[in-house]
PDB file of all heavy atoms in Angstrom:
ATOM      1  N   TYR A 357     248.820  64.903 112.436  1.00 98.00           N
ATOM      2  CA  TYR A 357     249.409  63.603 112.141  1.00 98.00           C
ATOM      3  C   TYR A 357     249.375  62.720 113.388  1.00 98.00           C
ATOM      4  O   TYR A 357     249.345  63.219 114.511  1.00 98.00           O
ATOM      5  CB  TYR A 357     250.875  63.754 111.696  1.00 98.00           C
ATOM      6  CG  TYR A 357     251.071  64.550 110.427  1.00 98.00           C
ATOM      7  CD1 TYR A 357     251.026  65.946 110.444  1.00 98.00           C
ATOM      8  CD2 TYR A 357     251.329  63.918 109.211  1.00 98.00           C
ATOM      9  CE1 TYR A 357     251.217  66.687 109.292  1.00 98.00           C
ATOM     10  CE2 TYR A 357     251.534  64.653 108.054  1.00 98.00           C
ATOM     11  CZ  TYR A 357     251.475  66.029 108.095  1.00 98.00           C
ATOM     12  OH  TYR A 357     251.669  66.763 106.943  1.00 98.00           O
ATOM     13  N   SER A 358     249.437  61.413 113.180  1.00 98.00           N
ATOM     14  CA  SER A 358     249.615  60.481 114.284  1.00 98.00           C
ATOM     15  C   SER A 358     251.108  60.350 114.573  1.00 98.00           C
ATOM     16  O   SER A 358     251.960  60.738 113.758  1.00 98.00           O
ATOM     17  CB  SER A 358     249.051  59.111 113.922  1.00 98.00           C
ATOM     18  OG  SER A 358     249.818  58.534 112.861  1.00 98.00           O
ATOM     19  N   LEU A 359     251.440  59.777 115.733  1.00 98.00           N
ATOM     20  CA  LEU A 359     252.852  59.579 116.070  1.00 98.00           C
ATOM     21  C   LEU A 359     253.526  58.691 115.030  1.00 98.00           C
ATOM     22  O   LEU A 359     254.689  58.911 114.675  1.00 98.00           O
ATOM     23  CB  LEU A 359     252.974  58.959 117.465  1.00 98.00           C
ATOM     24  CG  LEU A 359     254.397  58.711 117.965  1.00 98.00           C
ATOM     25  CD1 LEU A 359     255.154  60.025 118.129  1.00 98.00           C
ATOM     26  CD2 LEU A 359     254.387  57.933 119.279  1.00 98.00           C
ATOM     27  N   GLU A 360     252.805  57.698 114.542  1.00 98.00           N
ATOM     28  CA  GLU A 360     253.378  56.777 113.541  1.00 98.00           C
ATOM     29  C   GLU A 360     253.763  57.503 112.249  1.00 98.00           C
ATOM     30  O   GLU A 360     254.623  57.039 111.502  1.00 98.00           O
ATOM     31  CB  GLU A 360     252.385  55.651 113.233  1.00 98.00           C
ATOM     32  CG  GLU A 360     252.243  54.620 114.345  1.00 98.00           C
ATOM     33  CD  GLU A 360     251.453  55.119 115.539  1.00 98.00           C
ATOM     34  OE1 GLU A 360     250.784  56.183 115.413  1.00 98.00           O
ATOM     35  OE2 GLU A 360     251.503  54.480 116.610  1.00 98.00           O
ATOM     36  N   ASN A 361     253.141  58.645 111.997  1.00 98.00           N
ATOM     37  CA  ASN A 361     253.429  59.412 110.774  1.00 98.00           C
ATOM     38  C   ASN A 361     254.241  60.665 111.050  1.00 98.00           C
ATOM     39  O   ASN A 361     254.219  61.612 110.263  1.00 98.00           O
ATOM     40  CB  ASN A 361     252.113  59.787 110.080  1.00 98.00           C
ATOM     41  CG  ASN A 361     251.384  58.573 109.532  1.00 98.00           C
ATOM     42  OD1 ASN A 361     252.003  57.659 108.991  1.00 98.00           O
ATOM     43  ND2 ASN A 361     250.071  58.533 109.695  1.00 98.00           N
ATOM     44  N   ILE A 362     255.002  60.654 112.139  1.00 98.00           N
ATOM     45  CA  ILE A 362     255.749  61.846 112.512  1.00 98.00           C
ATOM     46  C   ILE A 362     256.788  62.233 111.466  1.00 98.00           C
ATOM     47  O   ILE A 362     257.055  63.432 111.247  1.00 98.00           O
ATOM     48  CB  ILE A 362     256.410  61.674 113.900  1.00 98.00           C
ATOM     49  CG1 ILE A 362     256.980  63.015 114.386  1.00 98.00           C
ATOM     50  CG2 ILE A 362     257.477  60.585 113.882  1.00 98.00           C
ATOM     51  CD1 ILE A 362     257.464  62.990 115.817  1.00 98.00           C
ATOM     52  N   ASN A 363     257.373  61.271 110.778  1.00 98.00           N
ATOM     53  CA  ASN A 363     258.377  61.611 109.768  1.00 98.00           C
ATOM     54  C   ASN A 363     257.751  62.353 108.593  1.00 98.00           C
ATOM     55  O   ASN A 363     258.399  63.213 107.976  1.00 98.00           O
ATOM     56  CB  ASN A 363     259.108  60.348 109.303  1.00 98.00           C
ATOM     57  CG  ASN A 363     259.992  59.770 110.397  1.00 98.00           C
ATOM     58  OD1 ASN A 363     260.843  60.459 110.956  1.00 98.00           O
ATOM     59  ND2 ASN A 363     259.780  58.501 110.734  1.00 98.00           N
ATOM     60  N   ASP A 364     256.491  62.050 108.283  1.00 98.00           N
ATOM     61  CA  ASP A 364     255.780  62.805 107.246  1.00 98.00           C
ATOM     62  C   ASP A 364     255.544  64.235 107.720  1.00 98.00           C
ATOM     63  O   ASP A 364     255.655  65.193 106.936  1.00 98.00           O
ATOM     64  CB  ASP A 364     254.442  62.139 106.921  1.00 98.00           C
ATOM     65  CG  ASP A 364     254.600  60.772 106.279  1.00 98.00           C
ATOM     66  OD1 ASP A 364     255.637  60.540 105.618  1.00 98.00           O
ATOM     67  OD2 ASP A 364     253.690  59.934 106.442  1.00 98.00           O
ATOM     68  N   ALA A 365     255.213  64.398 109.003  1.00 98.00           N
ATOM     69  CA  ALA A 365     254.999  65.737 109.556  1.00 98.00           C
ATOM     70  C   ALA A 365     256.285  66.556 109.514  1.00 98.00           C
ATOM     71  O   ALA A 365     256.268  67.757 109.214  1.00 98.00           O
ATOM     72  CB  ALA A 365     254.485  65.628 110.987  1.00 98.00           C
TER      73      ALA A 365
END
Side-chain angles (χ1 to χ4, degrees):
Y357 298 79
S358 66
L359 181 64
E360 287 74 14
N361 293 320
I362 190 172
N363 291 306
D364 294 333

